[in-house]
Amino acid sequence: MNASPRTPGTNAQAPVVGRFAPSPTGRMHAGNIFCALVAWLVAKSQNGRMVLRIEDLDRERSKPCFVDAVQRDFARLGLTWDAGPFFQHDRDEAYRAAFQSLEKRGLVYPCYCTRADLHAASAPHRGEKPVYPGTCRRLTDAERARREREGRSGAARLVVPDRVVSLHDLVQGDYAQNLAADCGDFLVRRADGAFAYQLAVVVDDADQGVNSVVRGVDLLCSTPQQIYLQELLRLPHARYAHVPLIVGELNRRLSKRDRDAALDELMVRFKTPEAIIGHIAGITGLAPSADPITPEALLAEFSLERLQGIFPDPMQILWR
Ligand code: GLU
């Protein structure tokens, strides 16, 4: 599992390896279950394997009780995994190696912007995410030294080129982003010293052999950044499927705080794991009816080719 150099490009012959990548910050809700179910179906329909990775980069919000709960939840629902759990808290060395390889090439610079600076300087772009205006890229050595003396701790950003990165997503179809215009230099290390999500996920997916990534469409706009990092680090690309979010009334996305859709409440309402899976499959279009069903039984009807067009709305589905 060490980061050896790899040839970039997707390998169509490689066995499919998908992943569950929950953040242990709460119990699973209907949206997490839906995403995990599709990830499992995509991998298993290609005789693939599933890896479980606990994404506990955020030490403050990750709680040990949810690490256990999330595994029990997957197991109870019949969403099995073949390797792991792997934990991000064990992976600092691998992230550091990747970070240093970028740093050695002069591709990262310290960023001293506070949240307030960022908020003031960047207009939200296309309703997606703020574009970093490059403030700290232009600092002189003297200006950097002054900020260091003031005790401002430096996050680190990756310099991005004025280049379009595109992908074909199995659910969303073609998607492209100009790294400079649509995203800007992005964080690879946070001000608190933790490596950033984009870097960690790319290093983890590669080291864990993951080549099939299924996750919520809210992360589609991060994918060009991850593809660009894979290129720089000479890591293979994955195939991506970004599934719609399950939203509450007024398009509010379900969160782990939505008690009504968390697994315990789902069990109270639906009584069995099969009834939960059936309801989620029914409202999302994965199954023709909402009758109770197991992931195994859904697999018999599942077809990867139908994934684009199967969901009533590729962006969001109303929870009911
Ligand atoms: N850990 C993230 C989550 O729980 C998923 C990140 C990813 O799939 O890349 O939403």
Side-chain angles (χ1 to χ4, degrees), residues 2-292:
N2 52 13
S4 52
R6 293 172 182 78
T7 319
T10 33
N11 181 351
Q13 306 309 315
V16 171
V17 181
R19 39 90 148 175
F20 300 131
S23 303
T25 54
R27 292 297 297 278
M28 301 251 283
H29 60 62
N32 304 132
I33 299 169
F34 166 56
C35 181
L37 177 62
V38 179
W40 189 91
L41 291 169
V42 166
K44 295 295 162 181
S45 64
Q46 300 172 90
N47 295 317
R49 297 184 314 119
M50 283 302 286
V51 164
L52 172 62
R53 176 168 77 235
I54 305 290
E55 299 214 320
D56 55 359
L57 264 188
D58 192 332
R59 303 276 161 95
E60 249 163 53
R61 290 180 59 228
S62 300
K63 301 277 179 286
C65 62
F66 295 130
V67 172
D68 297 335
V70 112
Q71 293 179 72
R72 276 200 309 276
D73 291 349
F74 280 128
R76 183 147 67 151
L77 292 162
L79 296 169
T80 52
W81 61 95
D82 309 285
F86 301 108
F87 290 86
Q88 290 187 320
H89 71 240
D90 287 336
R91 304 266 306 143
D92 247 39
E93 221 175 289
Y95 306 149
R96 184 163 299 106
F99 179 84
Q100 286 171 346
S101 106
L102 301 170
E103 201 178 33
K104 261 192 236 141
R105 285 177 271 169
L107 294 171
V108 299
Y109 61 87
C111 172
Y112 305 93
C113 293
T114 60
R115 247 174 228 272
D117 295 335
L118 293 176
H119 192 72
S122 52
H125 190 77
R126 285 197 198 156
E128 285 185 342
K129 59 185 171 188
V131 177
Y132 183 64
T135 322
C136 289
R137 195 209 273 212
R138 294 182 287 270
L139 293 180
T140 62
D141 285 349
E143 287 168 328
R144 282 187 185 147
R146 183 167 58 78
R147 282 167 177 75
E148 297 285 342
R149 276 199 306 277
E150 285 166 357
R152 293 234 221 156
S153 66
R157 286 185 186 270
L158 183 82
V159 176
V160 299
D162 179 8
R163 212 187 88 194
V164 173
V165 172
S166 55
L167 67 136
H168 182 80
D169 187 87
L170 292 174
V171 175
Q172 308 294 332
D174 293 333
Y175 180 78
Q177 217 179 55
N178 179 299
L179 290 175
D182 300 332
C183 152
D185 298 342
F186 60 88
L187 286 178
V188 282
R189 199 184 58 207
R190 304 186 326 196
D192 64 2
F195 292 102
Y197 159 74
Q198 309 292 6
L199 181 84
V201 90
V202 159
V203 172
D204 284 343
D205 281 341
D207 282 354
Q208 291 153 12
V210 171
N211 54 17
S212 165
V213 172
V214 177
R215 57 190 175 193
V217 68
D218 53 329
L219 287 169
L220 179 61
C221 63
S222 283
T223 307
Q225 294 163 61
Q226 294 176 15
I227 291 175
Y228 181 57
L229 271 174
Q230 287 159 355
E231 272 177 34
L232 291 177
L233 297 168
R234 296 188 54 74
L235 301 173
H237 299 309
R239 285 180 97 189
Y240 292 92
H242 287 87
V243 299
L245 300 180
I246 299 205
V247 296
E249 299 294 341
L250 303 172
N251 298 342
R252 186 177 47 85
R253 79 174 274 204
L254 287 189
S255 85
K256 292 189 169 130
R257 287 180 296 275
D258 273 290
R259 302 287 304 157
D260 50 340
L263 192 62
D264 284 341
E265 280 67 22
L266 295 178
M267 281 299 286
V268 171
R269 176 174 162 197
F270 293 101
K271 314 289 185 251
T272 65
E274 293 76 19
I276 297 174
I277 295 283
H279 181 79
I280 291 175
I283 65 167
T284 57
L286 280 175
S289 80
D291 295 344

